[in-house]
Amino acid sequence: IFSGVLFRSRGCALPISDYLGYFALFGANTDMVRLERIYMKKKKHVISRVLPGSIGEELELEPGDILAEINHQLVEDVFDYRYLMNDEYIELLIEKANGELWELEVEKDYDEDLGIEFENGLMDDYRSCSNHCMFCFIDQMPPGMRETLYFKDDDSRLSFLQGNYVTLTNMSQEDIERVIKYHLSPINVSFQAMNPQLRCKMLHNRFAGDALKKVDQLYEAGITMNGQIVLCKGVNDGEELEYSLQKMSEYAPVLQSVSVVPVGLTKFRKGLYPLEPFTKEDAKAVLEQIHRWQKIMYERYGIHFIHASDEWYILAGEELPEEDRYDGYLQLENGVGMLRLLGTEVRQAVAERDGDDRKLSVTVATGRLAAPYIAGCMDVIREKYPNITSEVIAIKNNFFGEKITVSGLITGQDLIEQLSGRKLGDRLLIPCNMLRSGEDVFLDDITITELSEKLGKEIIVVDPGGADLVSAVLDPVEHKKQIRRQMYEQTSSCNSGKA
């Protein structure tokens, strides 16, 4: 029973204390050395949930159990877990809550998961950002908010799990080698500038220019990448943007897309690098530059490669690009094509319905950026439901400043202030990106319940996508799952928000 191959069904699972006692009494062998190494060094990967009908349930795994090893290898983090799970035969070492060790053999499909979740999604500590970017949104937050909102992450693992953009400055050579070894992709990179000296200045990190060499390693290994440039007026625009686009184009098509987003500026910038907002003329110049490069890249590779976020088109007063120009919407999280896709999905969802003469009054509260496009979506719904009336209220961001126009940064107090005393109709809709992931809390800690009580109106939270907007307007009210990703808590310091 001390062979190290333990099967619960054979009655051979023993508490770890018994194993270590045996080790001390009888001396070392390979299995005992391994067990001691695990329990002296290992991280506690505690299972928080076992999905019904999963392999984990069949193995009788339970919340509180600890995953120690896969195939006799320590699991450092979620990278290791996902890589080691990609096999048709695996061996697991599980520590039960009572101290027993179970070594389990599993035969499964190559990419089939165990159906378990962990208390820590990364299976490791979050890595904080070592940069002090001149455009960092977190530095522009007022004091007195919850502590997690001030955490700056630059964690490459969140790039793969949540789509965050990372600067590469916090990635070691070992991290790069693991990405290449596991062939993890795509990785989302915050470039900002391809001029090494300028990148050091923008990130306020003397190693930021050298970090670009890691892009060469990822490119040579064929690791698919997406890029981002947070454009700052008078800093990395104009000639510097031209240079960056030329250098980044050399990584195509492994670097499959690059988004250009305008820096988000709140009113809390005292003591920070002086940045100015872009004007209408600035936006037109940026779009001309991007469109010229789109033509070049489409001729070379059949992809448009470089994309402007929706804000540029709105600021310039120009029409959004046609759907084909978005290359499959690779950069939705950066607000690239989000409004175009919303309109397309609304038209598709309405086309699938018969329409009727029901009477209903609907109010939608959203950010100033998206408001005109939401109003257009409501017009599409009225083509088949002519007796539905609607009002789209563009919420002014008094909390962060009126230069912030995205709905994801609207607070509960601004909603209360600007919606109180108004006729809100039969339904009040808000987008789910106003809320924390999986919760009913706004950035200022006001809850949906508190907002509903203040306004005397039930709130309908609309999930992403045009189909859910149509459903929220037309279908019976029901509890809706809120699925907003944590964009401003444990996220890239370079993320400027979404519409």
Side-chain angles (χ1 to χ4, degrees), residues 404-421:
I404 301 298
T405 60
V406 295
S407 59
L409 292 173
I410 290 174
T411 58
Q413 56 193 271
D414 275 345
L415 287 168
I416 292 171
E417 177 184 353
Q418 297 175 50
L419 296 179
S420 294

Side-chain angles (χ1 to χ4, degrees), residues 49-121:
R49 184 184 177 206
V50 180
L51 301 181
S54 66
I55 294 175
E57 183 180 59
E58 184 178 349
L59 294 173
E60 300 184 22
L61 300 183
E62 299 172 310
D65 290 348
I66 295 172
L67 173 66
E69 280 188 350
I70 300 177
N71 295 340
H72 307 293
Q73 296 185 47
L74 293 176
V75 180
E76 288 293 323
D77 58 19
V78 68
F79 276 8
D80 287 337
Y81 174 75
R82 292 200 171 188
Y83 177 73
L84 293 170
M85 283 299 300
N86 282 337
D87 208 338
E88 294 180 351
Y89 172 83
I90 60 172
E91 294 182 11
L92 305 174
L93 186 63
I94 301 292
E95 179 187 347
K96 300 294 288 183
N98 63 2
E100 287 184 351
L101 284 179
W102 291 5
E103 190 163 87
L104 305 170
E105 297 174 314
V106 179
E107 292 185 0
K108 63 180 188 64
D109 292 336
Y110 177 82
D111 57 354
E112 188 176 7
D113 191 73
L114 296 177
I116 58 178
E117 297 175 0
F118 298 93
E119 289 184 354
N120 183 330

Side-chain angles (χ1 to χ4, degrees), residues 30 59 118 123 131 141-142 145-146 170 180 193-194 225 227 235 311 326 384 439 463 466 468 473:
T30 301
L59 294 173
F118 298 93
M123 305 174 74
N131 304 313
M141 301 253 281
M145 303 184 75
R146 59 178 174 270
N170 290 312
I180 293 172
M194 292 301 290
M225 294 176 281
V235 180
E311 294 104 311
Y326 289 107
K384 284 193 173 181
E439 300 184 30
D463 291 342
D468 199 74
V473 172

Side-chain angles (χ1 to χ4, degrees), residues 361-376 378 389-398 405-407 410-411 414-425 427-431 434 451 455 457 459 469 499:
S361 176
V362 178
T363 299
V364 183
T366 188
R368 294 164 64 191
L369 177 70
Y373 294 88
I374 300 295
M378 301 305 293
T389 60
S390 64
E391 181 181 13
V392 178
I393 300 176
I395 301 297
K396 179 182 177 182
N397 200 319
N398 294 322
T405 60
V406 295
S407 59
I410 290 174
T411 58
D414 275 345
L415 287 168
I416 292 171
E417 177 184 353
Q418 297 175 50
L419 296 179
S420 294
R422 302 185 67 151
K423 293 182 179 180
L424 300 176
R427 299 184 178 186
L428 173 60
L429 279 54
I430 65 169
M434 291 184 182
L451 176 64
L455 300 178
K457 179 68 60 175
I459 312 295
L469 174 60

Side-chain angles (χ1 to χ4, degrees), residues 8-46:
R8 180 179 182 277
S9 60
R10 298 181 186 177
C12 298
L14 297 178
I16 184 59
S17 58
D18 291 351
Y19 285 109
L20 297 183
Y22 174 86
F23 172 80
L25 183 62
F26 294 99
N29 63 35
T30 301
D31 294 314
M32 293 302 102
V33 169
R34 181 166 64 87
L35 291 175
E36 183 180 71
R37 174 170 57 88
I38 292 166
Y39 284 90
M40 295 300 289
K41 290 186 174 182
K42 79 176 184 67
K43 297 174 182 177
K44 296 282 187 176
H45 303 311
V46 181

Side-chain angles (χ1 to χ4, degrees), residues 285-396:
V286 170
L287 289 176
E288 186 280 328
Q289 204 169 3
I290 289 174
H291 293 162
R292 176 166 46 81
W293 269 99
Q294 284 183 338
K295 292 179 181 178
I296 293 172
M297 297 304 288
Y298 194 79
E299 290 176 359
R300 288 182 186 173
Y301 302 106
I303 58 174
H304 294 88
F305 184 68
I306 179 72
H307 303 276
S309 64
D310 294 349
E311 294 104 311
W312 295 112
Y313 292 96
I314 295 170
L315 181 57
E318 297 186 11
E319 290 292 323
L320 295 172
E322 59 275 15
E323 198 159 25
D324 290 345
R325 295 247 306 273
Y326 289 107
D327 294 341
Y329 296 108
L330 297 173
Q331 297 248 8
L332 281 175
E333 288 295 334
N334 276 321
V336 175
M338 186 176 295
L339 297 176
R340 170 63 71 193
L341 180 60
L342 176 68
T344 298
E345 291 177 339
V346 166
R347 286 190 293 274
Q348 290 174 345
V350 171
E352 295 172 358
R353 295 174 179 256
D354 295 329
D356 55 47
D357 58 356
R358 74 183 71 179
K359 293 183 178 180
L360 193 67
S361 176
V362 178
T363 299
V364 183
T366 188
R368 294 164 64 191
L369 177 70
Y373 294 88
I374 300 295
C377 292
M378 301 305 293
D379 290 339
V380 172
I381 293 174
R382 269 192 295 275
E383 291 175 3
K384 284 193 173 181
Y385 299 88
N387 292 327
I388 288 182
T389 60
S390 64
E391 181 181 13
V392 178
I393 300 176
I395 301 297
K396 179 182 177 182

Side-chain angles (χ1 to χ4, degrees), residues 155-208:
D155 200 312
S156 58
R157 294 164 298 187
L158 291 179
S159 182
F160 301 103
L161 295 175
Q162 296 183 349
N164 289 15
Y165 281 75
V166 294
T167 65
L168 304 178
T169 58
N170 290 312
M171 290 185 71
S172 66
Q173 182 58 34
E174 181 183 0
D175 292 330
I176 294 293
E177 290 172 358
R178 290 177 73 207
V179 170
I180 293 172
K181 172 185 174 182
Y182 297 164
H183 205 79
L184 297 167
S185 63
I187 183 170
N188 298 328
V189 181
S190 284
F191 285 91
Q192 317 316 348
M194 292 301 290
N195 176 338
Q197 291 74 32
L198 178 58
R199 194 169 196 258
C200 290
K201 175 183 176 181
M202 293 189 70
L203 274 59
H204 203 261
N205 183 330
R206 62 193 178 96
F207 301 109

